[in-house]
Amino acid sequence: MGLRGKFIGGLLITALVWSAVLIAAWLSARSAVDDVLAQNERTLRDTARVAMEERAAQLATFLRDALTNPVYYFDLLAMREVLRSALDQPDVAYVLVYDERGRVIHDGSGDIPKFGQVMDDTLAAAVVASAESRVQWDGKLLDASTPMQIGELRLGGVRVGMSTERMEAAVAKDTGQALGSLRANLESPARVLVVGLLALLGSIVLLGWWIARGLVQPIRELSLRAEEIEQGHYGAAASSTRRDELGDLMRAFGRMSEGVRRHHADIRQLAYQDSLTGLPNRLSFREQLENAIASNGQRGLALLFIDLDDFKRINDTLGHDIGDHVLTEFATRFYRALPPDGVIPTITLARLGGDEFVALIEGPEAAARAETAAQALLHQLKSPFDVGGKSLLVGASIGVTVYPDDAQSSKLLLKHGDLAMYQAKQQGKSCYRFFAGHLTLLAEERLMLEHELREAIEKAQLSIAYQPIYVLKTGEIVGAEALLRWQHPQRGAIPPSLFVPVAEATGLIDALGDFVLRRACRDAAAWQASAPGRCVAVNVSGRQIQREGLETRVAAALAESGLEPSLLHLELTESSLMHDEAQAFAVLAELRKSGARVWLDDFGTGFSGLSHLRRARVDGVKIDRSFIADILNDPEDLALASAIIAMATSLGMEVIGEGVESAAQYTLLKSLGCQMAQGFWMSKAVSSDELMRKGAVAVP
C-alpha cells in the first residue's frame, strides 16, 4: 500500500476513531446536560421550597407576636387588622388563630364563620398537640404554625396556610424555556455528528479544542452556579456573550438566578419591614435589639415603649384609612421631634403592631437621652394632626426601660417597657414613666387574679348581694341594686374594685355581666310573689354596650325569668357612653323599647353630664355618692346635688341618692325633692332571702 493509501486509510481510521470519540463526547455531554438540568430543577425547587417554608414560619412568628395581646384581651377587631395584611398576600390561602383546645378564634374575615369550631383538617391534630413551631406539607399546601403563650399560660396559636401553586409556576416558567432550547438542540444528534465529521476533516485538533472549550466548560460553569444558588449565593449569576443555545441557556439561567434573588429579597422585606410605615417591624426590631445588647456590653441602652392614646376610637369613628394616615404621620413626627445637634445620635424607631411603637436609643447616658426624647415627642404631639381635612389631637403613653439596670435580655426589656407604658396609661395618659421593679409584681398579681377569676366563674364562687332602694317619703323598699360578690376560698372576700378592672381588661366582664343579669332577673321574678312591683337594678359596663347583642341578651334574661320588663332597671355610667356616643344612644333606645328602664349611674362625675342628660333619654339618674358624703358641710356639694335633682325632675326623670350614711342626709335629700335613696344608714347589701324579710325604715 502506498503512502496515499496509508494516508487515506489512516485518515479514515482517524476519522472513525474521532467519530466514535465525538459520538461518545456527544452522549457524555447530553448525559451531563440532563444531569445539570435535573440538578438545576431540583435546586430551584428545593430553594423555592425552603424559601417558602422560611417565609411561612416568619409570617407565623410575626403574626403570633402581633396577635398575643389581642388574643389575650380577646380583641377581635385588632386580630382582624393584623390578619388582613397577611391575607392580602396572593399565596396565603388562610390564616387561623386558635385557642388552646384547637377552636377557631379568628380567620381574618368579618363574620368569622368558623368561630368556636374545632379545627378538623388533616394537619390540625399535630398543630394543637405541638408545643413548638412546626411546618407541614399536605399535597399542594404548606401549613406553618406556632403556639402562642404568655409566661406559662398557653393561649393557643396561629396557623398560616400557603399554596405552592405560585412557587411551582415560577420554577416552571424560569426553567422551561431555557432548558427546552438546549434539549431541542440535542434532539438532533445527526446534525451535530455531521457538523463534527466535517470539522474533523478540516481540523481534528481544532474540533477537540472546540468541544472542550465551547461545550463542556459552559455546562460546568452552569453546574457551579447551580451549586452556589443552592448554598444561598443568589448573586452568582451566569452570563455569556455566546449567540448559540448554550448562550441562551446561560443568559436564561442568569435571569432565573436574579428572579430567585429578588424573590428572596421580597420575602425578607415582608418579614422585616412594616408595610404601612416602612419602619422595621417586630421581628426586625428584636434582632436589632439583641445585636445591640450583644455589641454594647455594659455601655447601656434605653427603650421607649410607645402606645397611642385612644387610637381605637379614631379607627372606629373615622375609619381605618384615617387611622393608617395617623400612624404614618406619627412616624414622621417622631423623628421631627428629636433634638438637633446630635443630642440623641443613635436611635431606631420600629412599629410592633397596631398603634404600638418602640424606639431604641444606644450610647452613653442612654436613660437621660431617652427621657429627652420622650419629652420632645410629647411636646411634638401637642400640635394637632391634619388628616383628611380633620384636626386630630393624638396623645401617647410612653414607658422607658434601661439596659442593663431594668433587664438583661431583649424579651424582658420589651416586657418591662410595656409595663411602664401601662403605668403611664393608668396615671392619666400623654405622659412617660420609667420602669420600676414593683410593676412586675403588680403584673404578676394581675395575671394571677385573672386566672383565679376564670376559676371562680367556672366553680360558681360568685354570688349576688342586693342593696335596697327606699322611697324617701314613705321609707318603703321599692327595689334593690344587684351587686356582684366574690368569696375566694383562700383570700376571702375580694372587693369588686379589685377584680372588675381585671375583668374589663381581659374580656371576662362579658361573662360576669351575663351572670349578674340572668341571676338578678331570676331573683326579682321570685320577689313578685310577696312583694309585687319590686324592681332590680343591674349595672352595665361600657364594654357590654360596645359588644353586639346586649338587647338580645337582656330580652333572653327577661324571657327566661318571666320578669316584667319594666321591673328591670339597667344602670350605665356617663363614662361608658363616651367611647361611641352614637352607638351607645342607639343601644339605650333599643333597651327602652324592650320595656326595661335605663338609669345614669354616678351622675355628675362625667365630663358632660348636662349633654348626656338631655340627649340620652334615660328614665332617671343616680347622684354619685361623692356629692352625698359631705353634702351637710360643703355648700358646693349641696348646690350640685340640688341642681341635679332640679334638672332631672324638670325633664321628668326620677332621682336616687347613693351612699346615704346618716338620718340628716336622708332628711336633706327628701327636702330637696329627691325621690329615692340607698346607703348603709338604711341597709347594707344583703342576700335575696334577707331582702324579702326587710321592711320599711322609719322616716326621720
Side-chain angles (χ1 to χ4, degrees):
M1 183 179 297
L3 291 176
R4 183 178 179 182
K6 290 181 180 179
F7 176 78
I8 295 174
L11 185 60
L12 291 174
I13 293 172
T14 303
L16 291 173
V17 170
W18 281 103
S19 296
V21 171
L22 180 61
I23 293 172
W26 176 80
L27 293 175
S28 177
R30 180 171 181 176
S31 177
V33 169
D34 289 339
D35 291 341
V36 170
L37 297 181
Q39 182 180 355
N40 290 343
E41 187 172 1
R42 288 193 302 272
T43 299
L44 290 172
R45 290 185 182 279
D46 291 343
T47 301
R49 179 172 177 140
V50 170
M52 191 173 187
E53 289 180 351
E54 291 178 351
R55 180 188 173 201
Q58 291 169 350
L59 185 55
T61 302
F62 166 74
L63 292 176
R64 178 200 65 192
D65 294 341
L67 290 168
T68 298
N69 281 342
V71 171
Y72 180 73
Y73 295 113
F74 208 76
D75 191 344
L76 295 177
L77 290 177
M79 295 183 207
R80 183 183 178 188
E81 289 181 25
V82 174
L83 297 179
R84 186 177 61 178
S85 62
L87 289 171
D88 288 339
Q89 301 173 38
D91 54 351
V92 175
Y94 62 81
V95 181
L96 297 175
V97 182
Y98 59 90
D99 62 16
E100 72 278 5
R101 298 180 182 177
R103 298 172 298 189
V104 176
I105 300 175
H106 216 301
D107 59 3
S109 65
D111 53 1
I112 320 176
K114 293 186 178 181
F115 181 83
Q117 298 181 18
V118 177
M119 298 182 297
D120 58 355
D121 58 272
T122 57
L123 305 178
V127 169
V128 176
S130 177
E132 299 178 347
S133 301
R134 61 185 299 128
V135 176
Q136 306 177 84
W137 290 84
D138 184 13
K140 294 188 176 182
L141 185 68
L142 169 65
D143 183 278
S145 63
T146 184
M148 187 185 303
Q149 62 184 49
I150 299 179
E152 299 296 325
L153 177 62
R154 180 165 180 178
L155 302 177
V158 61
R159 296 176 64 188
V160 177
M162 304 185 72
S163 173
T164 62
E165 293 182 359
R166 193 180 178 193
M167 178 194 74
E168 297 288 347
V171 172
K173 180 180 179 181
D174 289 338
T175 60
Q177 184 178 358
L179 303 183
S181 69
L182 179 61
R183 186 174 295 278
N185 182 60
L186 295 177
E187 292 297 330
S188 305
R191 183 175 59 185
V192 176
L193 184 59
V194 170
V195 173
L197 288 172
L198 292 175
L200 281 173
L201 295 174
S203 178
I204 295 178
V205 176
L206 184 62
L207 180 60
W209 176 84
W210 181 85
I211 293 175
R213 186 180 180 204
L215 184 63
V216 178
Q217 184 176 340
I219 293 175
R220 289 177 178 175
E221 184 179 349
L222 286 177
S223 179
L224 291 174
R225 295 295 185 267
E227 292 177 357
E228 291 176 347
I229 292 176
E230 186 177 15
Q231 296 171 5
H233 303 305
Y234 304 109
S239 61
S240 176
T241 58
R242 297 173 63 117
R243 299 299 178 184
D244 56 10
E245 289 82 356
L246 280 175
D248 293 340
L249 175 61
M250 295 181 71
R251 286 186 290 274
F253 193 91
R255 292 192 297 270
M256 180 179 62
S257 176
E258 176 63 18
V260 173
R261 185 195 64 78
R262 288 196 303 268
H263 188 56
H264 179 76
D266 292 341
I267 293 174
R268 184 172 180 83
Q269 183 178 13
L270 178 63
Y272 285 85
Q273 187 180 69
D274 178 57
S275 58
L276 176 63
T277 62
L279 297 172
N281 62 11
R282 179 185 293 270
L283 179 61
S284 176
F285 183 80
R286 283 292 293 269
E287 289 189 4
Q288 292 183 46
L289 179 58
E290 291 174 356
N291 292 335
I293 291 175
S295 61
N296 272 275
Q298 298 300 312
R299 288 194 299 161
L301 312 164
L303 204 67
L304 299 181
F305 201 103
I306 309 164
D307 186 272
L308 303 187
D309 296 329
D310 301 318
F311 181 74
K312 186 176 183 297
R313 189 175 180 183
I314 295 176
N315 272 342
D316 292 345
T317 57
L318 301 178
H320 290 278
D321 290 341
I322 298 294
D324 290 347
H325 196 126
V326 169
L327 294 174
T328 305
E329 177 65 18
F330 172 81
T332 303
R333 289 272 190 106
F334 178 87
Y335 285 106
R336 190 187 304 164
L338 297 179
D341 304 325
V343 175
I344 307 177
T346 307
I347 186 166
T348 302
L349 179 68
R351 183 188 178 204
L352 297 185
D355 61 337
E356 288 185 342
F357 295 82
V358 63
L360 174 64
I361 297 175
E362 304 179 57
E365 301 181 359
R369 292 174 174 174
E371 185 171 17
T372 300
Q375 293 171 347
L377 176 60
L378 293 174
H379 179 74
Q380 180 67 231
L381 294 178
K382 290 181 179 180
S383 301
F385 286 57
D386 186 9
V387 183
K390 301 181 182 295
S391 184
L392 303 176
L393 281 173
V394 181
S397 299
I398 306 173
V400 185
T401 185
V402 180
Y403 173 89
D405 300 342
D406 299 331
Q408 285 75 49
S409 69
S410 62
K411 183 177 180 180
L412 282 179
L413 206 61
L414 286 167
K415 177 183 177 182
H416 291 172
D418 190 19
L419 291 175
M421 181 276 296
Y422 182 77
Q423 185 73 4
K425 291 270 189 197
Q426 294 291 98
Q427 297 183 7
K429 304 179 180 179
S430 293
C431 61
Y432 67 92
R433 293 291 183 270
F434 278 82
F435 172 78
H438 72 278
L439 297 180
T440 302
L441 297 176
L442 291 175
E444 292 175 352
E445 173 65 20
R446 182 179 177 275
L447 185 62
M448 180 59 68
L449 192 63
E450 177 191 348
H451 175 70
E452 292 178 341
L453 182 57
R454 293 182 185 275
E455 286 190 345
I457 297 173
E458 296 174 358
K459 297 179 180 181
Q461 297 175 2
L462 303 173
S463 61
I464 307 293
Y466 297 94
Q467 186 172 41
I469 301 173
Y470 293 86
V471 178
L472 290 175
K473 287 185 178 180
T474 64
E476 297 289 335
I477 297 176
V478 68
E481 180 180 359
L483 302 173
L484 185 61
R485 295 289 184 261
W486 179 11
Q487 188 66 30
H488 194 279
Q490 285 79 41
R491 301 190 191 189
I494 298 179
S497 60
L498 188 61
F499 69 82
V500 168
V502 174
E504 289 180 337
T506 59
L508 292 174
I509 193 66
D510 295 333
L512 295 182
D514 291 345
F515 166 76
V516 174
L517 179 62
R518 292 195 306 270
R519 176 66 63 83
C521 288
R522 188 164 63 247
D523 288 346
W527 301 343
Q528 305 310 309
S530 56
R534 185 168 291 185
C535 65
V536 64
V538 177
N539 292 286
V540 178
S541 70
R543 183 180 175 95
Q544 287 177 282
I545 296 176
Q546 298 163 24
R547 178 186 172 198
E548 295 183 1
L550 176 60
E551 310 94 311
T552 304
R553 294 191 299 277
V554 169
L558 290 171
E560 177 186 312
S561 64
L563 180 67
E564 172 65 31
S566 63
L567 299 180
L568 175 62
H569 294 190
L570 301 172
E571 298 184 357
L572 302 90
T573 63
E574 286 187 80
S575 59
S576 67
L577 306 179
M578 296 181 63
H579 179 75
D580 189 344
E581 290 187 351
Q583 179 191 0
F585 289 161
V587 172
L588 295 187
E590 291 298 320
L591 291 174
R592 295 192 72 197
K593 285 182 182 179
S594 70
R597 304 186 70 188
V598 179
W599 289 68
L600 276 183
D601 195 8
D602 300 336
F603 189 78
T605 61
F607 295 100
S608 54
L610 286 172
S611 173
H612 288 149
L613 198 61
R614 180 175 58 85
R615 295 188 293 131
R617 299 187 181 276
V618 295
D619 297 287
V621 298
K622 298 181 75 171
I623 303 176
D624 187 71
R625 64 183 65 251
S626 62
F627 298 116
I628 306 299
D630 205 27
I631 194 173
L632 299 174
N633 303 312
D634 191 332
E636 292 184 0
D637 286 349
L638 176 60
L640 285 171
S642 301
I644 291 172
I645 294 170
M647 182 171 52
T649 302
S650 67
L651 295 174
M653 301 176 184
E654 294 182 306
V655 184
I656 298 177
E658 293 183 298
V660 176
E661 306 290 341
S662 68
Q665 292 173 343
Y666 185 105
T667 302
L668 179 57
L669 286 174
K670 182 172 68 172
S671 68
L672 294 175
C674 184
Q675 294 95 349
M676 290 166 283
Q678 61 186 98
F680 282 178
W681 184 76
M682 293 87 78
S683 175
K684 64 178 182 179
V686 298
S687 67
S688 180
D689 293 339
E690 291 180 275
L691 179 68
M692 297 308 300
R693 294 193 294 269
K694 279 189 170 292
V697 298
V699 178

